[in-house]
Structure formats: structure tokens, C-alpha cells
Amino acid sequence: QVQLVESGGGSVQAGGSLRLSCTASRIIFSINRMDWYRQAPGKQRELVAQINSGGTTNYADSVKGRITISRDNAKNTVYLQMNNLKPEDTGVYYCNTPVFLARNSWGQGTQVTVSS
């Protein structure tokens, strides 16, 4: 059973900021890579950012310099700090991890809407 709970989405104007959170359970959080994805209306889900167990991060080119992924292993939580948001950042944001990705299991996501 997937246990990924995303939160923190909302509606902001362009240039604004949001901080997303995702809490995972039923996994040994600290040893797992955590990813953030997003799906814009009418588009395929895309990878936004990754953070591995050692803290190494990877970002999509479209978000570099504006978005930061971090993790708190004590809280089984991964974060996505999003600054200088653009309308093209609008979408449903999901977190995931390889264990659940292998089963194509996803949480409910959190909606981010950026208006111009």
C-alpha cells in the first residue's frame, strides 16, 4: 500500500513561493532516493528534482536555480522549496521513491497553480 502524502500546494502569483512537503511511510526512508514529479494539464508527468540518501540532488533544467529539494530523515519527509514561480510551474506535484515507482504507485499529489 502506497503511503506518500503530499501537502503545501496552493495558488500564487508569478514570482511567489511555495514549500511542498511529502511524508513517506512503509519504507526505510533514510536509505531511499526521493523524487518530486509534476503533471501539468494535458501533459505527461515529468521529473522535477531528486535527492539521494547522501543528499546529492538533481534538478530538471527548467527549475534549476528556483527550486530546492531537501529531506529530513528524522521526519520521513522530503521538501520542495519553490521560489520565483512561473505559470508554467502549474500542475499537480507528486513525490515518489524507487520502491513505489516500481509498482507504479502514487500518492494523491498536491495542486500548484501559478497565475500571471
Side-chain angles (χ1 to χ4, degrees):
Q1 184 178 359
V2 177
Q3 290 291 329
L4 298 166
V5 180
E6 300 94 344
S7 62
S11 297
V12 298
Q13 291 189 329
S17 298
L18 285 172
R19 189 194 194 205
L20 308 183
S21 300
C22 168
T23 300
S25 58
R26 296 183 180 268
I27 60 171
I28 304 174
F29 184 85
S30 63
I31 66 172
N32 279 274
R33 189 191 79 216
M34 296 300 299
D35 304 337
W36 279 100
Y37 295 80
R38 67 186 179 194
Q39 187 165 21
K43 295 187 177 181
Q44 288 190 331
R45 195 172 291 165
E46 63 174 350
L47 179 66
V48 175
Q50 299 177 309
I51 184 166
N52 69 13
S53 59
T56 300
T57 58
N58 181 48
Y59 297 95
D61 288 341
S62 60
V63 305
K64 283 181 180 177
R66 301 187 297 115
I67 288 180
T68 303
I69 188 172
S70 61
R71 64 192 297 160
D72 185 338
N73 291 337
K75 296 182 179 180
N76 280 18
T77 300
V78 61
Y79 303 99
L80 195 69
Q81 177 66 47
M82 304 191 295
N83 300 324
N84 190 22
L85 283 162
K86 303 177 180 181
E88 51 263 43
D89 294 318
T90 293
V92 180
Y93 283 69
Y94 303 87
C95 69
N96 218 322
T97 189
V99 171
F100 294 146
L101 286 169
R103 308 170 195 168
N104 196 28
S105 295
W106 296 83
Q108 84 289 349
T110 186
Q111 175 71 47
V112 171
T113 303
V114 184
S115 57
S116 58

